[in-house]
Amino acid sequence: MQSAVSPTRREESLYGALIGCAIGDALGIAYENLSPRRASRLFPDPTRYHLLPSVGLISDDAEQAIMTLRALAHSGGDPARFQARLATELRVWVATLPAGIGLSTARAGVRLWLGMSPQRSGVRSAGNAPALRGAILGVALADDPQQRETLVRLATRITHTDPKAEAGAHLCADLAALATQSAGASLPVDAIRQRVDACPAELREPLRAALASADAGQTTEQFALSQGWQRGVSGYIVHTTAAALHAWLRFPDEFVEAVSALIRCGGDTDSTAALLGVWMGAHLGRRVAPDALLERLKDPLARPNTLHALATATAHAVQSATPQALRRPLYPLRLGRNLLFLGLVIAHLVRRALPPY
């Protein structure tokens, strides 16, 4: 058993992780799938929200973390109830037509709607959605490795069955747990290194390369280029995790600088920045991001008071092993919000097709 996490620390880390995840996602979404060069020409300032100027809106990545915590709070940590509740969350979410949902997650959601059980709904993919679910579970269950392993496995297999997806999700959870346990102290680099060494080979080598690159003082952009990611970091969980880890090691206490470094790498920028935000928020708590960025987080699904209430309920559920009543946003609100978001995304794609080139 790992050292106990106090109720106050758990709640603070959960709130920080949700803030970091939401703001990282909202900063990165405008740059998704752009090459580094194109991104720098179109939106040279990665410290501002660009999808809707001066307003932070989340995408599917932060929603993954939010849905996972709702399932955990509702279940009180019971594995069967957690799995059933997460399946319900995914069904409802798919029905709200979320823009940017990953193909594998969407396929799994359709399979759930067709009556498949959560044990059989997953598809063979190593996309990065499990990384977000695993990381936020790592914050909530930082001092219970056995329960963490169980719930991360269930949360992964409901959509992704590739062993690399599960290994990546467990790593993301364990690093989030280390961040939570070391809150208030320096980043536990030696413990991170030990956890990386325990990974399967396909995941371990890029992560070791990230550690070596950070030790050598390379920028995150230089590391990405050294890995052959000239067009940006892909949505493959191995690449996402390695890039986010590098930025975290280079800027352990500087969220804006770390997220900016990831965004400048291009590719799946909302996912990499959201994952980084979970880790950094777990370690730094509420102070992870500047007040200006938090105040402009206006998404009805991720307002600061909503995230705080979710963090509080989840912390109580974990501490007492008792389910907490949480209401999901009304379906018409979520559907209307997602349709408006889709319109913004389409307008943004048109803008991205225009000069400067």
Side-chain angles (χ1 to χ4, degrees):
M1 180 72 70
Q2 299 178 28
S3 59
V5 174
S6 72
T8 301
R9 178 67 259 166
R10 195 187 315 274
E11 183 176 334
E12 174 73 8
S13 284
L14 278 168
Y15 184 40
L18 286 169
I19 290 173
C21 181
I23 293 177
D25 187 7
L27 287 171
I29 184 63
Y31 296 84
E32 186 177 18
N33 294 329
L34 287 175
S35 69
R37 180 181 179 278
R38 184 74 175 128
S40 66
R41 295 296 300 276
L42 278 172
F43 309 111
D45 184 0
T47 68
R48 295 173 49 208
Y49 300 125
H50 291 287
L51 187 64
L52 189 62
S54 299
V55 176
L57 299 173
I58 66 170
S59 74
D60 59 302
D61 297 287
E63 283 201 83
Q64 297 278 356
I66 290 169
M67 288 188 297
T68 302
L69 283 195
R70 276 205 300 259
L72 179 58
H74 180 85
S75 69
D78 177 77
R81 292 189 65 176
F82 170 77
Q83 185 183 53
R85 183 66 176 194
L86 185 56
T88 299
E89 290 279 350
L90 287 167
R91 286 191 195 96
V92 174
W93 184 52
V94 168
T96 64
L97 307 178
I101 182 173
L103 179 60
S104 298
T105 304
R107 288 173 60 196
V110 171
R111 287 157 73 95
L112 287 168
W113 269 112
L114 293 175
M116 286 191 179
S117 70
Q119 294 86 357
R120 298 177 56 241
S121 57
V123 299
R124 192 169 182 85
S125 168
N128 54 30
L132 275 303
R133 292 185 223 134
I136 203 67
L137 286 171
V139 183
L141 304 171
D143 52 356
D144 193 340
Q146 184 174 354
Q147 188 183 33
R148 184 168 72 241
E149 181 180 358
T150 298
L151 297 193
V152 169
R153 182 176 66 251
L154 295 175
T156 299
R157 293 183 183 180
I158 197 171
T159 57
H160 292 66
T161 62
D162 191 306
K164 293 187 291 296
E166 189 169 328
H170 284 300
L171 172 75
C172 291
D174 290 348
L175 296 188
L178 288 172
T180 303
Q181 290 191 312
S182 63
S186 58
L187 198 64
V189 178
D190 288 342
I192 290 172
R193 201 179 302 275
Q194 290 173 9
R195 181 59 185 85
V196 165
D197 287 342
C199 287
E202 188 164 2
L203 188 61
R204 182 173 63 242
E205 295 315 312
L207 293 166
R208 281 181 171 172
L211 285 161
S213 172
D215 288 344
Q218 283 190 323
T219 66
T220 304
E221 302 97 296
Q222 288 171 333
F223 167 67
L225 290 174
S226 74
Q227 296 298 297
W229 305 336
Q230 285 84 359
R231 296 291 301 174
V233 182
S234 75
Y236 178 36
I237 196 168
V238 176
H239 297 170
T240 295
T241 306
L245 177 60
H246 190 283
W248 190 23
L249 295 171
R250 291 287 287 124
F251 300 99
D253 300 311
E254 301 169 80
F255 174 79
V256 171
E257 287 79 0
V259 168
S260 297
L262 272 180
I263 288 174
R264 285 193 292 268
C265 292
D268 199 357
T269 47
D270 53 340
S271 299
T272 54
L275 176 59
L276 173 67
V278 173
W279 289 338
M280 295 193 73
H283 191 236
L284 301 174
R286 160 64 185 83
R287 63 188 179 90
V288 62
D291 288 340
L293 286 174
L294 184 59
E295 289 165 1
R296 294 182 184 128
L297 191 62
K298 302 293 188 182
D299 197 306
L301 302 180
R303 291 192 178 97
N305 61 338
T306 302
L307 300 180
H308 188 267
L310 178 57
T312 301
T314 305
H316 287 332
V318 170
Q319 200 69 32
S320 64
T322 303
Q324 302 292 309
L326 275 175
R327 294 175 57 187
R328 283 194 304 266
L330 295 175
Y331 176 79
L333 170 65
R334 295 176 73 182
L335 179 62
R337 180 266 180 203
N338 284 348
L339 291 175
L340 288 172
F341 185 82
L342 178 60
L344 284 172
V345 169
I346 293 172
H348 187 72
L349 290 174
V350 172
R351 166 67 189 90
R352 284 169 33 163
L354 301 175
Y357 298 111

Short mmCIF file of all heavy atoms in Angstrom, two decimals, residues 69-77 81 85 309-327:
data_model
loop_
_atom_site.label_atom_id
_atom_site.label_comp_id
_atom_site.label_asym_id
_atom_site.label_seq_id
_atom_site.Cartn_x
_atom_site.Cartn_y
_atom_site.Cartn_z
N LEU A 69 -14.63 10.54 -13.60
CA LEU A 69 -14.81 10.90 -12.20
C LEU A 69 -16.28 10.83 -11.79
O LEU A 69 -16.59 10.45 -10.65
CB LEU A 69 -14.26 12.30 -11.93
CG LEU A 69 -12.75 12.44 -11.82
CD1 LEU A 69 -12.39 13.78 -11.19
CD2 LEU A 69 -12.12 11.32 -11.02
N ARG A 70 -17.18 11.17 -12.69
CA ARG A 70 -18.60 11.04 -12.33
C ARG A 70 -18.95 9.58 -12.06
O ARG A 70 -19.68 9.26 -11.12
CB ARG A 70 -19.49 11.60 -13.45
CG ARG A 70 -19.70 13.10 -13.38
CD ARG A 70 -20.99 13.53 -14.06
NE ARG A 70 -21.02 13.19 -15.46
CZ ARG A 70 -20.77 14.03 -16.45
NH1 ARG A 70 -20.45 15.29 -16.17
NH2 ARG A 70 -20.83 13.65 -17.71
N ALA A 71 -18.40 8.69 -12.89
CA ALA A 71 -18.66 7.26 -12.68
C ALA A 71 -18.06 6.79 -11.36
O ALA A 71 -18.66 5.99 -10.64
CB ALA A 71 -18.10 6.45 -13.85
N LEU A 72 -16.87 7.28 -11.03
CA LEU A 72 -16.23 6.89 -9.78
C LEU A 72 -17.01 7.40 -8.58
O LEU A 72 -17.25 6.66 -7.61
CB LEU A 72 -14.80 7.42 -9.75
CG LEU A 72 -13.98 7.12 -8.49
CD1 LEU A 72 -13.88 5.62 -8.25
CD2 LEU A 72 -12.59 7.75 -8.61
N ALA A 73 -17.44 8.66 -8.63
CA ALA A 73 -18.20 9.21 -7.51
C ALA A 73 -19.53 8.48 -7.34
O ALA A 73 -19.95 8.16 -6.22
CB ALA A 73 -18.44 10.70 -7.73
N HIS A 74 -20.20 8.21 -8.43
CA HIS A 74 -21.51 7.55 -8.39
C HIS A 74 -21.39 6.13 -7.83
O HIS A 74 -22.31 5.64 -7.17
CB HIS A 74 -22.11 7.50 -9.78
CG HIS A 74 -23.45 6.84 -9.85
ND1 HIS A 74 -24.63 7.50 -9.59
CD2 HIS A 74 -23.80 5.55 -10.13
CE1 HIS A 74 -25.64 6.65 -9.71
NE2 HIS A 74 -25.16 5.47 -10.04
N SER A 75 -20.27 5.47 -8.11
CA SER A 75 -20.10 4.07 -7.71
C SER A 75 -19.50 3.89 -6.33
O SER A 75 -19.54 2.79 -5.77
CB SER A 75 -19.20 3.35 -8.72
OG SER A 75 -17.87 3.84 -8.64
N GLY A 76 -18.90 4.95 -5.78
CA GLY A 76 -18.20 4.81 -4.52
C GLY A 76 -16.97 3.93 -4.62
O GLY A 76 -16.43 3.48 -3.61
N GLY A 77 -16.53 3.66 -5.84
CA GLY A 77 -15.34 2.84 -6.05
C GLY A 77 -15.62 1.38 -6.26
O GLY A 77 -14.69 0.60 -6.52
N ARG A 81 -20.16 -1.42 -10.19
CA ARG A 81 -20.97 -0.20 -10.35
C ARG A 81 -20.21 0.84 -11.18
O ARG A 81 -20.82 1.56 -11.98
CB ARG A 81 -21.34 0.37 -8.99
CG ARG A 81 -22.31 -0.51 -8.19
CD ARG A 81 -22.82 0.21 -6.96
NE ARG A 81 -23.63 1.38 -7.32
CZ ARG A 81 -24.26 2.13 -6.43
NH1 ARG A 81 -24.15 1.86 -5.13
NH2 ARG A 81 -24.98 3.17 -6.81
N ARG A 85 -21.66 2.32 -14.63
CA ARG A 85 -21.91 3.76 -14.72
C ARG A 85 -21.10 4.39 -15.84
O ARG A 85 -21.60 5.28 -16.56
CB ARG A 85 -21.57 4.44 -13.39
CG ARG A 85 -21.87 5.93 -13.36
CD ARG A 85 -23.37 6.20 -13.47
NE ARG A 85 -23.65 7.63 -13.36
CZ ARG A 85 -24.85 8.13 -13.15
NH1 ARG A 85 -25.89 7.31 -13.05
NH2 ARG A 85 -25.02 9.42 -13.05
N ALA A 309 -16.99 21.09 -7.64
CA ALA A 309 -18.01 20.22 -7.05
C ALA A 309 -17.74 18.75 -7.38
O ALA A 309 -17.93 17.86 -6.53
CB ALA A 309 -19.39 20.63 -7.56
N LEU A 310 -17.28 18.49 -8.60
CA LEU A 310 -16.97 17.11 -8.99
C LEU A 310 -15.77 16.59 -8.20
O LEU A 310 -15.78 15.44 -7.74
CB LEU A 310 -16.67 17.06 -10.50
CG LEU A 310 -16.27 15.71 -11.08
CD1 LEU A 310 -17.33 14.65 -10.81
CD2 LEU A 310 -16.01 15.84 -12.58
N ALA A 311 -14.76 17.42 -8.02
CA ALA A 311 -13.58 17.01 -7.24
C ALA A 311 -13.98 16.70 -5.80
O ALA A 311 -13.53 15.70 -5.21
CB ALA A 311 -12.52 18.11 -7.28
N THR A 312 -14.83 17.54 -5.22
CA THR A 312 -15.26 17.34 -3.83
C THR A 312 -16.05 16.05 -3.68
O THR A 312 -15.81 15.25 -2.77
CB THR A 312 -16.10 18.54 -3.37
OG1 THR A 312 -15.32 19.73 -3.47
CG2 THR A 312 -16.56 18.36 -1.93
N ALA A 313 -17.00 15.83 -4.58
CA ALA A 313 -17.83 14.62 -4.50
C ALA A 313 -16.99 13.36 -4.69
O ALA A 313 -17.19 12.35 -3.99
CB ALA A 313 -18.94 14.69 -5.55
N THR A 314 -16.06 13.41 -5.62
CA THR A 314 -15.21 12.23 -5.86
C THR A 314 -14.32 11.94 -4.66
O THR A 314 -14.15 10.78 -4.26
CB THR A 314 -14.35 12.44 -7.11
OG1 THR A 314 -15.18 12.77 -8.22
CG2 THR A 314 -13.56 11.18 -7.44
N ALA A 315 -13.74 12.98 -4.08
CA ALA A 315 -12.89 12.79 -2.90
C ALA A 315 -13.69 12.16 -1.76
O ALA A 315 -13.20 11.26 -1.07
CB ALA A 315 -12.30 14.13 -2.47
N HIS A 316 -14.93 12.61 -1.56
CA HIS A 316 -15.78 12.04 -0.51
C HIS A 316 -16.10 10.58 -0.82
O HIS A 316 -16.09 9.72 0.07
CB HIS A 316 -17.08 12.83 -0.38
CG HIS A 316 -16.90 14.17 0.27
ND1 HIS A 316 -15.91 14.44 1.19
CD2 HIS A 316 -17.61 15.33 0.14
CE1 HIS A 316 -16.01 15.71 1.59
NE2 HIS A 316 -17.04 16.26 0.97
N ALA A 317 -16.40 10.29 -2.08
CA ALA A 317 -16.74 8.92 -2.47
C ALA A 317 -15.58 7.97 -2.22
O ALA A 317 -15.77 6.86 -1.72
CB ALA A 317 -17.16 8.88 -3.93
N VAL A 318 -14.37 8.41 -2.58
CA VAL A 318 -13.20 7.55 -2.40
C VAL A 318 -12.88 7.38 -0.92
O VAL A 318 -12.60 6.27 -0.46
CB VAL A 318 -11.99 8.15 -3.15
CG1 VAL A 318 -10.71 7.41 -2.79
CG2 VAL A 318 -12.23 8.09 -4.65
N GLN A 319 -12.95 8.48 -0.16
CA GLN A 319 -12.58 8.43 1.25
C GLN A 319 -13.53 7.54 2.06
O GLN A 319 -13.11 6.79 2.93
CB GLN A 319 -12.58 9.85 1.82
CG GLN A 319 -11.76 10.00 3.10
CD GLN A 319 -10.27 9.85 2.84
OE1 GLN A 319 -9.77 10.22 1.77
NE2 GLN A 319 -9.55 9.32 3.81
N SER A 320 -14.82 7.62 1.74
CA SER A 320 -15.82 6.89 2.52
C SER A 320 -16.27 5.60 1.87
O SER A 320 -17.04 4.84 2.47
CB SER A 320 -17.04 7.79 2.74
OG SER A 320 -17.67 8.09 1.50
N ALA A 321 -15.82 5.34 0.62
CA ALA A 321 -16.29 4.19 -0.17
C ALA A 321 -17.81 4.17 -0.26
O ALA A 321 -18.45 3.11 -0.23
CB ALA A 321 -15.77 2.88 0.43
N THR A 322 -18.39 5.36 -0.37
CA THR A 322 -19.84 5.52 -0.41
C THR A 322 -20.22 6.28 -1.68
O THR A 322 -19.64 7.33 -1.96
CB THR A 322 -20.33 6.31 0.81
OG1 THR A 322 -19.92 5.64 2.00
CG2 THR A 322 -21.86 6.42 0.80
N PRO A 323 -21.18 5.81 -2.44
CA PRO A 323 -21.61 6.54 -3.64
C PRO A 323 -22.09 7.94 -3.32
O PRO A 323 -22.73 8.17 -2.29
CB PRO A 323 -22.74 5.68 -4.20
CG PRO A 323 -22.49 4.31 -3.66
CD PRO A 323 -21.89 4.53 -2.30
N GLN A 324 -21.77 8.86 -4.21
CA GLN A 324 -22.21 10.24 -4.08
C GLN A 324 -23.14 10.58 -5.23
O GLN A 324 -22.87 10.25 -6.38
CB GLN A 324 -21.00 11.19 -4.11
CG GLN A 324 -19.98 10.93 -3.03
CD GLN A 324 -20.49 11.25 -1.65
OE1 GLN A 324 -21.01 12.35 -1.41
NE2 GLN A 324 -20.37 10.30 -0.74
N ALA A 325 -24.25 11.21 -4.90
CA ALA A 325 -25.23 11.58 -5.93
C ALA A 325 -24.70 12.76 -6.75
O ALA A 325 -24.36 13.81 -6.19
CB ALA A 325 -26.56 11.95 -5.28
N LEU A 326 -24.61 12.56 -8.04
CA LEU A 326 -24.17 13.62 -8.95
C LEU A 326 -25.10 13.65 -10.15
O LEU A 326 -25.41 12.61 -10.74
CB LEU A 326 -22.74 13.35 -9.44
CG LEU A 326 -21.57 13.81 -8.58
CD1 LEU A 326 -20.26 13.33 -9.18
CD2 LEU A 326 -21.57 15.32 -8.43
N ARG A 327 -25.53 14.83 -10.51
CA ARG A 327 -26.40 14.97 -11.67
C ARG A 327 -25.57 15.28 -12.91
O ARG A 327 -24.72 16.17 -12.89
CB ARG A 327 -27.42 16.08 -11.44
CG ARG A 327 -28.41 15.80 -10.33
CD ARG A 327 -29.31 16.99 -10.09
NE ARG A 327 -30.02 17.39 -11.30
CZ ARG A 327 -30.78 18.50 -11.38
NH1 ARG A 327 -30.86 19.31 -10.33
NH2 ARG A 327 -31.41 18.78 -12.50
#
